[in-house]
Amino acid sequence: MIYFDNSATTQVAPEVLQTYNTVSKKIWGNPSSLHNFGEEAWNLLEQARQQIANLFHVNPGEIIFTSGGSEGDNWVVKGTAMAKQRFGKHIITTSVEHAAVRNPTEQLKELGFDVTYLPVDKEGRINPADLKAAIRPDTILVSIMAVNNEIGTIQPIKEVGEILKDYPNIHFHVDAVQAIGKGIDDAVFSDRVDFATFSGHKFHAPRGTGFVYVKAGRKLAPLVAGGGQERGLRSGTENTPGDVAMARAIRLVKEGEADAVKREQAIKERIYDHIKQFDHVKIFSGRDQGFAPHILCFAIVGVRGETIVHAFEDQGIYISTTSACSSKKHAEAGTLAAMKVPENEATSAVRISLGDQNTLEEADQFNKTFDKLYAGFKKIIE
């Protein structure tokens, strides 16, 4: 089996699973309990928080544990709206955001908020000048993803941050779910970013884990109210084994990040350079530094994306149709539509997404399989 669908989810690393199991068996007390067993769980949870903070050079109090990327994105978008609506009801985001940002902003529109969706160019990238022009006196939030989950475009987070330095009262949120371990931390954690969202299952941690970086001093209303856990910002009994395992997963990913980025880029380039030779292939991802090293989106124009996915699956190779969150809806990809890609190309789009476990040998096997499948598809197309 060759697994090229790591942007959808990753396999839990053996060491991470071992940590999860050990904590689940030995330290299963409630961190909020006053007895020693609860105190032991609390201390372990805080050690995990400290470890994550150290890796990203932030304060431990700025790391808030969640259940993953969707909760984190919803929390920042809606939490900002709740906390700052008396100052304004204008939100700026992009036309290529994940549904976890796009759908909450659409919900807020029904409550009287105004949302500006920035356009993108042919590479799926916003123009910072458009952002600056969109800012109004009542703007309270700018939300822009670091790495596009469908085609891998890296957005100009630093440039946006420079613009927003002149608007210190506007919250700046970055969806960084696809950015862990991809060599772009400097952009995500620039000094102007107020919130950044992460999801554990994208970097070999258990599903149902994640965290949000919340800059000290920034106001954010809680989305989940209750017992006051996580500094009162995210109530609910903490997922101690999951969060501790996630901290270990991040450490492992960061330790091997440099080598993994080089290998993923090499795999991407080998596949890119091979498939670009074919007449009916359209590639939407770039191979330069403006794109993340792990995502390659392309189409065999004239063949539906799901047909391509299942054809590769029959050969033991797992890819997806753009975003896994919408792949079963048979819908035109949101990012490609925003890029004004023709519908017949967008509906043929598929995504390869690499992980640190993938190899160049797998790329060669993919290319051989591609040749065989393309020959069959070409007969149908022509």
Side-chain angles (χ1 to χ4, degrees):
M1 180 187 80
I2 296 176
Y3 184 75
F4 279 173
D5 196 19
N6 290 276
S7 287
T9 197
T10 58
Q11 183 179 19
V12 178
E15 305 96 322
V16 174
L17 185 58
Q18 181 183 27
T19 296
Y20 182 91
N21 289 335
T22 299
V23 176
S24 295
K25 292 176 181 178
K26 296 183 177 180
I27 310 175
W28 43 266
N30 190 321
S32 297
S33 296
L34 296 178
H35 48 64
N36 289 339
F37 202 37
E39 187 72 16
E40 188 177 16
W42 166 264
N43 289 336
L44 193 61
L45 190 69
E46 292 310 300
Q47 288 175 23
R49 195 188 312 275
Q50 181 72 63
Q51 290 166 0
I52 295 173
N54 289 345
L55 287 170
F56 295 109
H57 309 292
V58 299
N59 297 320
E62 296 175 317
I63 300 298
I64 306 298
F65 292 124
T66 67
S67 65
S70 291
E71 181 192 336
D73 286 342
N74 272 263
W75 176 31
V76 176
V77 172
K78 295 176 181 177
T80 292
M82 294 167 64
K84 294 178 69 69
Q85 59 183 316
R86 67 182 184 276
F87 302 109
K89 290 189 173 184
H90 180 231
I91 295 170
I92 300 173
T93 186
T94 81
S95 56
V96 294
E97 295 301 305
H98 189 277
V101 167
R102 184 175 63 252
N103 289 345
T105 59
E106 286 295 306
Q107 288 181 310
L108 289 174
K109 285 171 66 175
E110 298 177 4
L111 298 176
F113 287 79
D114 189 13
V115 182
T116 297
Y117 294 100
L118 300 175
V120 295
D121 61 19
K122 62 182 181 180
E123 292 187 337
R125 189 172 292 108
I126 66 162
N127 185 338
D130 291 338
L131 167 77
K132 188 171 184 178
I135 294 174
R136 307 184 329 205
D138 60 338
T139 302
I140 58 173
L141 172 68
V142 171
S143 180
I144 299 176
M145 60 177 20
V147 175
N148 181 267
N149 56 297
E150 295 180 17
I151 68 170
T153 308
I154 299 175
Q155 295 294 348
I157 301 300
K158 278 192 173 182
E159 290 86 342
V160 171
E162 287 299 313
I163 292 170
L164 292 179
K165 285 181 178 179
D166 293 333
Y167 304 90
N169 293 325
I170 296 176
H171 281 182
F172 183 22
H173 167 236
V174 173
D175 177 342
V177 166
Q178 294 292 341
I180 280 280
K182 307 308 174 186
I184 58 173
D185 286 353
D186 288 344
V188 175
F189 284 106
S190 67
D191 57 1
R192 184 56 185 87
V193 173
D194 300 311
F195 309 97
T197 307
F198 299 87
S199 181
H201 77 104
K202 306 297 187 182
F203 50 86
H204 307 296
R207 296 175 191 179
T209 63
F211 66 96
V212 176
Y213 161 71
V214 179
K215 180 181 286 185
R218 283 306 200 184
K219 300 294 184 182
L220 194 62
L223 192 63
V224 181
Q229 292 87 349
E230 296 297 298
R231 293 171 40 223
L233 293 174
R234 200 279 188 182
S235 293
T237 301
E238 299 90 342
N239 179 7
T240 306
D243 294 335
V244 173
M246 177 175 62
R248 185 169 190 185
I250 295 177
R251 293 201 309 274
L252 292 172
V253 167
K254 296 302 290 181
E255 287 171 3
E257 181 171 21
D259 290 339
V261 168
K262 291 179 182 178
R263 185 167 60 255
E264 290 170 15
Q265 183 68 33
I267 295 170
K268 176 181 174 179
E269 290 179 2
R270 185 165 294 187
I271 296 174
Y272 183 105
D273 291 342
H274 182 76
I275 65 176
K276 73 177 183 180
Q277 307 171 64
F278 294 82
D279 293 338
H280 297 285
V281 170
K282 175 72 174 180
I283 302 178
F284 305 109
S285 303
R287 69 193 295 278
D288 58 38
Q289 296 305 307
F291 290 82
H294 66 300
I295 295 177
L296 177 58
C297 181
F298 69 91
I300 302 176
V301 181
V303 184
R304 292 194 64 86
E306 57 266 29
T307 300
I308 300 171
V309 168
H310 290 309
F312 274 100
E313 180 184 8
D314 290 342
Q315 302 298 316
I317 299 175
Y318 293 85
I319 61 176
S320 70
T321 53
T322 60
S323 173
C325 296
S326 60
S327 63
K328 291 188 176 181
K329 299 177 182 177
H330 306 290
E332 181 183 353
T335 296
L336 299 181
M339 292 164 56
K340 297 182 171 55
V341 172
E343 184 176 358
N344 67 311
E345 294 181 4
T347 53
S348 295
V350 295
R351 179 189 68 184
I352 293 169
S353 49
L354 307 168
D356 50 16
Q357 82 285 358
N358 292 126
T359 65
L360 283 168
E361 290 74 18
E362 290 178 330
D364 292 336
Q365 183 60 44
F366 176 91
N367 288 340
K368 291 178 182 178
T369 302
F370 181 90
D371 293 350
K372 180 172 66 174
L373 295 178
Y374 182 87
F377 289 142
K378 186 176 181 181
K379 293 177 182 178
I380 298 173
I381 296 168
E382 296 181 349

